């Protein structure tokens, strides 16, 4: 999430662009560097959840994100079910985008978009009657 800040969005953009560049810079893959940069990127996009904690919903969403990430990382790193572990990592991580979308919908900068979506949904419900 960006927290509604263009500066924070640009920071994350350049962090990820640099990580992509470094991934293809050398012919040798450096797993530890990749893992460290991945963890930094994940921390960077979940931190704004703690900055917008007006009514503890953001903190709950932060905890949900890290529970999903923790379970997914467990399957990725411990390989408890052999070759299926990587698949379970991807299945687990698939639960993260809805939580991030819910978090984005709670931002003050998203209020007008959410209001418009509600109006559209109400109009669609009314047209089906």
């Amino acid at each position: 999430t960006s927290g509604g800040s263009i500066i924070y969005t640009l920071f994350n953009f350049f962090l990820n662009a640099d990580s992509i560049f470094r991934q293809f810079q050398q012919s040798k893959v450096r797993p530890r560097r990749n893992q460290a940069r991945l963890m930094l990127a994940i921390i960077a996009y979940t931190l704004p959840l703690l900055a917008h904690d007006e009514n503890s919903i953001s903190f709950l969403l932060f905890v949900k994100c890290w529970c999903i990430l923790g379970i997914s990382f467990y399957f990725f790193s411990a390989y408890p079910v052999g070759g299926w572990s990587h698949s379970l990592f991807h299945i687990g991580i698939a639960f993260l985008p809805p939580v991030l979308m819910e978090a984005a919908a709670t931002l003050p900068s998203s209020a007008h978009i959410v209001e418009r979506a509600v109006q559209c949904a109400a109009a669609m419900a009314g047209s089906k009657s």
Side-chain angles (χ1 to χ4, degrees):
T1 63
S2 69
S5 167
I6 189 69
I7 294 170
Y8 197 76
T9 301
L10 288 172
F11 166 77
N12 280 323
F13 171 80
F14 287 115
L15 172 67
N16 288 313
D18 183 57
S19 295
I20 292 167
F21 174 76
R22 289 177 190 270
Q23 178 68 28
F24 296 106
Q25 184 178 13
Q26 299 173 350
S27 60
K28 182 181 177 187
V29 175
R30 295 175 54 194
R32 288 284 177 226
R33 181 182 69 182
N34 292 349
Q35 291 170 352
R37 287 180 159 272
L38 179 62
M39 187 56 70
L40 182 61
I42 291 169
I43 290 169
Y45 74 69
T46 57
L47 273 181
L49 294 173
L50 295 177
H52 296 283
D53 196 15
E54 292 86 27
N55 54 12
S56 76
I57 291 174
S58 296
F59 180 75
L60 178 61
L61 293 172
F62 180 83
V63 170
K64 280 184 184 180
C65 283
W66 279 97
C67 285
I68 291 168
L69 290 166
I71 292 167
S72 298
F73 289 155
Y74 167 74
F75 281 109
F76 187 76
S77 62
Y79 256 61
V81 289
W84 289 101
S85 296
H86 191 91
S87 298
L88 290 175
F89 162 78
H90 283 283
I91 290 169
I93 211 85
F95 289 95
L96 191 57
V99 176
L100 294 174
M101 286 185 256
E102 182 180 353
T106 65
L107 291 172
S109 59
S110 300
H112 69 283
I113 297 167
V114 172
E115 183 179 335
R116 181 68 176 154
V118 168
Q119 291 170 348
C120 291
M124 290 298 293
S127 69
K128 291 183 180 180
S129 315

